[in-house]
Amino acid sequence: MADTAPQPSKRKREQQEDAEAAEAPGTDERGTGVGNGTSARVHLPFSGFRVQKVLRESARDKVIFLHGKVPLGNPKDGDGEDAIVILEKTPFQVEQVAQLLTGSPELHLQFSNDIYSTYHLFPPRQLNDVKTTVVYPATEKHLQKYLRQDLRLIQETGEDYRNVTLPHLESQSLSIQWVYNILDKKAEADRIVFENPDPSDGFVLIPDLKWNQQQLDDLYLIAICHRRGIRSLRDLTPEHLPLLRNILCQGQEAIRQRYQVQGDRLRVYLHYLPSYYHLHVHFTALGFEAPGSGVERAHLLAQVIENLECDPRHYERRTLTFTLRADDPLLELLQEAQRS
């Protein structure tokens, strides 16, 4: 069993914060590298990034998604490769926040009224980091993924899945090589919190890239099963119950031992539709409103286990409700099938 302390690392792949299925970088994209994190200073995988468009921003979440061009030759050329850069302000670290107010911090007064005053405070460099996620080279699918779009609620019957959704997914040839890199210890091996190496009923537990591991309020880990060929909730049968029980019980225990967070303070669930089609389970702090934890996408693992115990064909036959982007081809295919 691996129990290696996780270290900060960049993962060259898409974030999983949206309600749509994500495409990981394809095998035909050049320059797709693997590797583990380092505390040494590094550089972005490109130079000359020119902002083309703000794909999305959120004042509440303190994050912005930028589409830019990277010149292939002459920096003055108007063309170039597409890249996406996501900038996100990191949460406060409780044990370091007092440093912001020690000594003589740089302050600019905004207003003062009786006992109330508001300032702009400029923290020191070590307390002012910005999490930066890069997708390069980016495809049109990546750009559409991060572009803010309207969502639609759709119901998918078991027949819809077999006749519409599954053939559509198989036609996309989505690459999940980055998942296999983790399972094969080719990337992020130093970030594995726990591993059950059983090839059928085992998994690895790894911090999600959205969690900086500096505080527990937004704790977020992912359990990725070793067994290949289980795409999503729809594939689950009683045959997979030992795997699911291992993920639930061993995952909770590993988090308790590593982070001193009890199982009743964790939300443990699967997404449907998932962001990538290799079975994985989300572990988040109960008080954290993680992206995709709403009722239209999240399915609690304990209830998934109980459903399979009661009905072996539950997820083969059940009608599932989820959201899709308004311009997602799958939405049109499902709506057309349901009209006929």
Side-chain angles (χ1 to χ4, degrees), residues 53 61 79 141 201 237 256 260 268 271 323:
K53 182 178 182 180
D61 298 327
D79 203 2
K141 290 181 180 180
D201 299 329
T237 69
R256 186 192 66 80
Q260 290 75 56
V268 187
H271 279 155
T323 58

Side-chain angles (χ1 to χ4, degrees), residues 49-321:
F49 180 82
R50 301 189 307 272
V51 175
Q52 302 292 304
K53 182 178 182 180
V54 175
L55 297 173
R56 183 170 14 131
E57 60 179 324
S58 171
R60 185 193 68 176
D61 298 327
K62 308 296 189 296
V63 63
I64 189 168
F65 299 73
L66 302 173
H67 167 216
K69 289 285 188 178
V70 176
L72 293 174
N74 188 339
K76 296 182 179 179
D77 291 343
D79 203 2
E81 287 189 303
D82 290 303
I84 296 171
V85 175
I86 305 167
L87 302 175
E88 179 182 0
K89 292 188 177 180
T90 55
F92 288 110
Q93 300 176 35
V94 175
E95 65 276 10
Q96 296 182 2
V97 72
Q99 298 179 34
L100 292 172
L101 303 176
T102 58
S104 300
E106 182 179 351
L107 294 172
H108 291 179
L109 178 67
Q110 299 304 299
F111 80 89
S112 178
N113 184 355
D114 193 30
I115 64 172
Y116 304 100
S117 53
T118 299
Y119 305 86
H120 278 172
L121 185 151
F122 297 89
R125 180 176 179 272
Q126 68 271 20
L127 300 177
N128 197 29
D129 61 311
V130 174
K131 179 183 172 185
T132 305
T133 302
V134 173
V135 181
Y136 173 74
T139 67
E140 181 61 29
K141 290 181 180 180
H142 294 116
L143 297 177
Q144 291 301 314
K145 168 183 169 59
Y146 292 114
L147 185 65
R148 181 182 296 279
Q149 295 185 14
D150 292 335
L151 297 176
R152 298 289 187 271
L153 204 63
I154 188 75
Q155 289 187 319
E156 175 198 78
T157 65
E159 184 179 1
D160 289 334
Y161 173 75
R162 293 186 295 274
N163 296 335
V164 180
T165 304
L166 183 58
H168 174 73
L169 296 176
E170 291 175 339
S171 72
Q172 300 303 298
S173 300
L174 307 180
S175 171
I176 51 173
Q177 183 58 49
W178 63 268
V179 173
Y180 301 148
N181 290 339
I182 293 173
L183 295 175
D184 296 337
K185 312 298 191 306
K186 294 179 180 178
E188 306 185 51
D190 58 337
R191 301 181 71 242
I192 293 176
V193 172
F194 173 87
E195 179 179 16
N196 177 335
D198 188 280
S200 179
D201 299 329
F203 65 98
V204 298
L205 185 67
I206 191 167
D208 187 87
L209 60 89
K210 293 185 286 300
W211 183 37
N212 65 11
Q213 305 176 63
Q214 300 302 314
Q215 62 286 313
L216 297 177
D217 289 349
D218 58 344
L219 177 144
Y220 200 147
L221 295 98
I222 297 289
I224 305 175
C225 74
H226 277 297
R227 186 170 177 175
R228 305 189 182 189
I230 312 175
R231 287 167 294 214
S232 73
L233 204 61
R234 286 291 192 188
D235 290 338
L236 293 177
T237 69
E239 175 190 357
H240 305 116
L241 284 172
L243 167 63
L244 299 178
R245 293 181 183 125
N246 284 349
I247 291 176
L248 180 60
C249 298
Q250 295 175 8
Q252 287 179 327
E253 178 61 18
I255 291 174
R256 186 192 66 80
Q257 292 187 15
R258 175 61 64 88
Y259 304 108
Q260 290 75 56
V261 177
Q262 300 295 327
D264 59 0
R265 296 171 57 198
L266 294 172
R267 182 186 294 110
V268 187
Y269 57 95
L270 297 86
H271 279 155
Y272 192 80
L273 296 172
S275 55
Y276 52 94
Y277 286 85
H278 178 99
L279 189 73
H280 58 284
V281 176
H282 304 253
F283 289 75
T284 64
L286 188 59
F288 174 46
E289 295 182 9
S293 60
V295 296
E296 71 279 6
R297 192 180 184 197
H299 299 256
L300 292 175
L301 178 56
Q303 292 184 355
V304 170
I305 292 172
E306 183 176 355
N307 289 337
L308 290 172
E309 290 172 337
C310 295
D311 179 3
R313 299 181 62 191
H314 182 89
Y315 290 104
E316 176 188 346
R317 299 184 290 196
R318 180 185 171 186
T319 295
L320 298 175
T321 301

Side-chain angles (χ1 to χ4, degrees), residues 29-45:
E29 295 179 6
R30 63 175 179 79
T32 301
V34 298
N36 297 314
T38 174
S39 59
R41 184 172 179 175
V42 297
H43 299 282
L44 291 172

